[in-house]
């Protein structure tokens, strides 16, 4: 006789008051015969394994006198009692069946890593690449592209309506236009002079090139000086202080930006070898138009200024003319002497080479 625990189903002795497995009270549990347990088969594999384990523990702990009764209440022989009391062999005990998922996992562990590990590694690499931030563009290159695009729009607007500045532009656009014009003219003169003096000795050719480069430098200084004179008169005498010098230069170049296209066109003709007698006349015509636009732009800036001190603009224009003459004389005095000395040195070198 033994008591079955109502909580875990463990088999306990008939005199037990508490379950030896889970500790549940067995005060109201009636002792049951072994035949009733054997007649009731477990309904699942887990219940059968639990009953077998409980029976083994019961036989090992309960005296032989209490567990010796058979299904028909016959007396148990001493050999049967000894076999019941003897603890079962661990090697012959039936282990509870493991679930299929556990067996599959153990087989996979014994066989090594699954063949699907490579796709997971590729997915991790793809995720790491996605998390890597994209390379940021070079800020200098982006700023240059933006400046070039804005400057091109500035040129197009000045060609369409050279007398009307409809919106503010970058303050360095005016200096950019002057620089492009001067550099284009300098390269054109250098190419023309280089082809003309290529047959002369090296010292004579270098002197000629240096003379023309000095002349181009003087022209650049003269252009900046003209813009500065108009700015001083408009800002100081007429009292129009709406613009800084750079902004004033940008608007000044806006009215004469045709000279940029003229100078670039001249350079392209020289580089392509399209210079002949007719093209030379065209080049000088374009350069003359550019110079005329440059002078007219200053006059236009003067007469469209907003005078705040009631100074007459005609008198301001006369003062501008006087100042420009003074500036021209100063530049030519210091620069022309250098140019003339270079020309004289070239003539002397040429005469010496001719004597030889």
């Amino acid at each position: 006789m033994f008591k079955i625990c109502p909580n875990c189903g463990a088999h306990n002795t008939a005199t037990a008051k508490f379950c030896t497995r889970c500790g549940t009270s067995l005060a109201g549990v009636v002792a049951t015969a072994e035949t009733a347990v054997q007649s009731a088969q477990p309904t699942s594999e887990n219940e059968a394994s639990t009953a077998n384990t409980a029976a083994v523990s019961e036989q090992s702990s309960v005296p032989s006198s209490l567990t010796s009764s058979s299904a028909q209440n016959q007396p148990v022989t001493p050999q049967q009692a000894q076999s019941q009391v003897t603890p079962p062999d661990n090697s012959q005990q039936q282990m509870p069946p493991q679930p299929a998922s556990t067996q599959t996992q153990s087989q996979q562990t014994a066989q090594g890593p699954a063949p699907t590990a490579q796709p997971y590694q590729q997915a991790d690499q793809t995720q790491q690449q996605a998390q890597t931030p994209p390379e940021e563009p070079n800020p200098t290159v982006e700023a240059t592209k933006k400046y070039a695009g804005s400057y091109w729009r500035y040129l197009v607007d000045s060609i369409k309506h050279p007398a009307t500045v409809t919106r503010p532009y970058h303050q360095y656009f005016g200096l950019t236009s002057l620089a492009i014009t001067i550099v284009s003219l300098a390269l054109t003169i250098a190419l023309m002079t280089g082809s003309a003096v290529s047959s002369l000795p090296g010292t004579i050719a270098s002197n000629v090139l240096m003379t023309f480069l000095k002349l181009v430098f003087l022209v650049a200084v003269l252009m900046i000086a003209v813009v500065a004179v108009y700015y001083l008169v408009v800002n100081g005498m007429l009292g129009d202080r709406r613009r800084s010098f750079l902004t004033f230069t940008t608007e000044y170049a806006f009215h004469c930006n045709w000279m940029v296209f003229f100078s670039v066109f001249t350079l392209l003709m020289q580089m392509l070898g399209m210079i002949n007698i007719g093209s030379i006349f065209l080049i000088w015509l374009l350069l003359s138009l550019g110079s005329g636009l440059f002078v007219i732009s200053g006059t236009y800036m003067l007469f469209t200024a907003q005078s705040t001190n009631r100074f007459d603009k005609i008198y301001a224009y006369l003062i501008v003319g006087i100042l420009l003459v003074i500036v021209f004389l100063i530049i030519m005095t210091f620069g022309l002497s250098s140019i003339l000395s270079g020309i004289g040195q070239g003539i002397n070198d040429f005469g010496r080479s001719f004597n030889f």
Side-chain angles (χ1 to χ4, degrees):
M1 302 293 290
F2 51 85
K3 293 181 180 181
I4 300 176
C5 178
N7 184 30
C8 62
H11 292 65
N12 300 275
T13 59
T15 59
K17 296 181 179 181
F18 297 94
C19 179
T20 58
R21 177 180 296 178
C22 62
T24 304
S25 177
L26 303 178
V29 179
V30 181
T32 306
E34 184 179 3
T35 56
V37 177
Q38 293 179 356
S39 61
Q41 295 294 332
T43 58
S44 63
E45 294 180 356
N46 293 332
E47 293 179 357
S49 60
T50 303
N52 292 333
T53 305
V56 171
S57 62
E58 176 69 18
Q59 291 176 359
S60 60
S61 60
V62 179
S64 60
S65 59
L66 297 176
T67 58
S68 60
S69 59
S70 62
Q72 297 179 359
N73 295 326
Q74 294 179 358
V76 180
T77 60
Q79 292 84 1
Q80 293 177 351
Q82 184 177 3
S83 61
Q84 292 179 0
V85 174
T86 303
D89 189 4
N90 292 332
S91 62
Q92 296 179 359
Q93 290 182 1
Q94 296 181 359
M95 299 299 295
Q98 297 181 355
S101 60
T102 306
Q103 296 178 359
T104 304
Q105 292 178 0
S106 61
Q107 293 176 0
Q108 292 179 355
T109 304
Q111 294 177 359
T116 59
Q118 185 175 1
Y120 286 108
Q121 294 177 357
Q122 295 179 355
D124 294 339
Q125 294 178 358
T126 305
Q127 185 177 4
Q128 292 178 359
Q129 294 178 358
Q131 293 178 356
T132 303
E135 296 182 359
E136 297 182 357
N138 192 338
T140 304
V141 175
E142 295 298 325
T144 304
K145 291 180 179 179
K146 184 177 180 181
Y147 184 87
S150 301
Y151 178 73
W152 176 252
R153 186 166 57 250
Y154 164 77
L155 287 178
V156 172
D157 292 344
S158 65
I159 298 302
K160 291 181 179 179
H161 302 285
T164 305
V165 182
T166 57
R167 55 182 175 178
Y169 297 97
H170 198 281
Q171 60 180 355
Y172 292 111
F173 283 173
L175 294 179
T176 303
S177 295
L178 297 179
I180 292 174
T181 303
I182 295 169
V183 171
S184 299
L185 292 176
L187 291 176
T188 302
I189 294 173
L191 292 175
M192 292 176 64
T193 307
S195 61
V197 300
S198 59
S199 59
L200 298 176
T203 56
I204 299 176
S206 61
N207 288 330
V208 173
L209 287 176
M210 288 298 298
T211 301
F212 279 102
L213 290 178
K214 290 178 181 179
L215 181 60
V216 171
F217 176 75
L218 290 179
V219 172
V221 173
L222 183 60
M223 292 177 68
I224 299 297
V226 170
V227 177
V229 168
Y230 275 105
Y231 174 74
L232 291 176
V233 173
V234 171
N235 187 276
M237 293 184 178
L238 297 181
D240 188 358
R241 297 179 175 84
R242 296 174 300 168
R243 295 157 297 200
S244 63
F245 176 73
L246 294 176
T247 306
F248 183 86
T249 306
T250 299
E251 293 188 8
Y252 192 108
F254 184 89
H255 302 308
C256 59
N257 266 335
W258 270 108
M259 63 181 183
V260 177
F261 292 94
F262 294 159
S263 60
V264 173
F265 177 74
T266 302
L267 177 60
L268 290 177
M269 291 184 65
Q270 179 64 41
M271 293 176 64
L272 296 176
M274 301 172 61
I275 303 298
N276 49 34
I277 297 176
S279 61
I280 290 176
F281 175 77
L282 177 61
I283 289 173
W284 283 109
L285 177 61
L286 294 178
L287 293 178
S288 300
L289 289 175
S291 302
L293 284 174
F294 185 75
V295 176
I296 293 173
S297 298
T299 305
Y300 182 81
M301 292 287 291
L302 178 65
F303 283 97
T304 57
Q306 295 181 0
S307 179
T308 59
N309 53 10
R310 298 181 180 181
F311 192 85
D312 194 275
K313 294 181 180 179
I314 296 296
Y315 294 133
Y317 183 70
L318 293 175
I319 294 173
V320 166
I322 295 171
L323 292 176
L324 289 178
V325 171
I326 295 173
V327 170
F328 182 80
L329 291 176
I330 294 173
I331 292 176
M332 289 296 105
T333 300
F334 290 97
L336 193 59
S337 60
S338 177
I339 293 175
L340 293 176
S341 63
I343 294 174
Q345 184 66 31
I347 293 174
N348 293 331
D349 294 338
F350 180 76
R352 294 173 182 175
S353 64
F354 183 77
N355 292 331
F356 286 107

